[in-house]
Structure formats: structure tokens, C-alpha cells
Amino acid sequence: MRVLSEVHRLDGYPLNWPDRPGEWLSRGPLLGSWVADLDGRLAGHVGLSPAGEGDLAPTLWSERNGTTRAMAAVVGRLFVAPWARGHRIGALLIGRAAEEARRRGLHPVLDVVTSDTAAAALYERLGWELMATVEQQWSPHQTVAVHCYAAPS
């Protein structure tokens, strides 16, 4: 939680700080989650989940490919400790989650708030395709613009 708290303080991720950060990281049905360490210190985290009810990226991907949402897996909860950036940890974590999705016969997708330009730049450097930018209702009082990405085939 310490690393996530530091990322939130410096970068604003997650956009809304969860009441229970540990549960936020492990909530819902997970297909897997991974951490990275650098020099024996926790340096980052990523999770992989089945397509959930509110996830837009799986819907966009399935519409484009004539398949069902259940054929997509959502990469999420990605963060890298500020002190560990520049070591390709984010790319390694995304690659590990995408590898697991493909091993399960699923296509990796994700979404990211438009204000997180560093994350969007990383996904695009890694060849992820921007499918759309859409507005998503996160609560009765909060609408957020998100970029929806699909991993390269």
C-alpha cells in the first residue's frame, strides 16, 4: 500500500483513492496479479481480470472482432514506484499480464483515464491500439474520459 500511496500522491493514480486499497488491488475475480521488485524492493504491480460489467474496452474489442466480451481480459491496477521508473518495469508487468491473457485464449485490453498521459504513452510505445476515447460514468457525480486500448495481435 505504501508504493500505491506514493504513486497516488505524485501521479493521482488511482484517480479516486479507495477506502480499502488492499481490497481495491485484489477485488473481484482475478485471473492473476504480479509484482515486480528491483534491488529487493517492491517496484510495481499489475492485475488481470475477466471482462467486468462496467469495462468498456472489452465491449469495443468484441464489437470490432465479432466475438464476445468474454474473449477479452482486462489489464489493470498497473503502477510503478516513482523511484523505479526508467527500468522498463511497467513494460515488463504489462507484458506478463498480456502473456497470461493469451495463454488463456483471451485478448488483453485496458482503459486509462485521459489525464494519465504517461501511461497512455507507454501503451502506445508498446504497440497497443487506441480503439476509442469515451466518457464513463464512475458515480452519479463523476464522469471520466478514458482511452480504451487493445494489445497488438
Side-chain angles (χ1 to χ4, degrees), residues 60-71:
L60 292 170
W61 182 82
S62 65
E63 289 171 354
R64 286 179 156 208
N65 293 283
T67 186
T68 67
R69 289 171 36 89
M71 295 303 297

Side-chain angles (χ1 to χ4, degrees), residues 119-143:
L122 171 63
Y123 306 139
E124 291 176 16
R125 272 194 315 274
L126 295 175
W128 287 60
E129 176 192 358
L130 175 61
M131 296 182 289
T133 300
V134 296
E135 297 262 319
Q136 191 173 35
Q137 193 74 36
W138 281 10
S139 75
H141 306 290
Q142 186 180 33
T143 301

Side-chain angles (χ1 to χ4, degrees), residues 33-147:
S33 61
W34 299 267
V35 295
D37 74 78
L38 182 62
D39 299 328
R41 294 173 60 194
L42 180 66
H45 174 276
V46 70
L48 183 69
S49 303
E53 188 175 313
D55 295 324
L56 297 175
T59 300
L60 292 170
W61 182 82
S62 65
E63 289 171 354
R64 286 179 156 208
N65 293 283
T67 186
T68 67
R69 289 171 36 89
M71 295 303 297
V74 180
V75 176
R77 311 292 196 252
L78 172 68
F79 59 92
V80 174
W83 64 266
R85 294 177 184 165
H87 294 277
R88 298 199 35 85
I89 291 170
L92 291 170
L93 287 166
I94 292 167
R96 179 62 187 97
E99 175 185 309
E100 178 63 17
R102 289 187 172 105
R103 188 187 71 73
R104 293 171 176 260
L106 304 172
H107 192 85
V109 298
L110 59 82
D111 59 43
V112 60
V113 294
T114 57
S115 60
D116 196 344
T117 56
L122 171 63
Y123 306 139
E124 291 176 16
R125 272 194 315 274
L126 295 175
W128 287 60
E129 176 192 358
L130 175 61
M131 296 182 289
T133 300
V134 296
E135 297 262 319
Q136 191 173 35
Q137 193 74 36
W138 281 10
S139 75
H141 306 290
Q142 186 180 33
T143 301
V144 179
V146 297
H147 295 309

Side-chain angles (χ1 to χ4, degrees), residues 2-59:
R2 185 178 57 239
V3 173
L4 181 61
S5 178
E6 183 180 357
V7 169
H8 178 72
R9 185 175 48 79
L10 291 175
D11 301 332
Y13 177 83
L15 186 61
N16 298 323
W17 183 253
D19 292 334
R20 295 185 170 111
E23 288 180 23
W24 180 79
L25 287 173
S26 61
R27 164 181 50 199
L30 283 173
L31 300 173
S33 61
W34 299 267
V35 295
D37 74 78
L38 182 62
D39 299 328
R41 294 173 60 194
L42 180 66
H45 174 276
V46 70
L48 183 69
S49 303
E53 188 175 313
D55 295 324
L56 297 175
T59 300

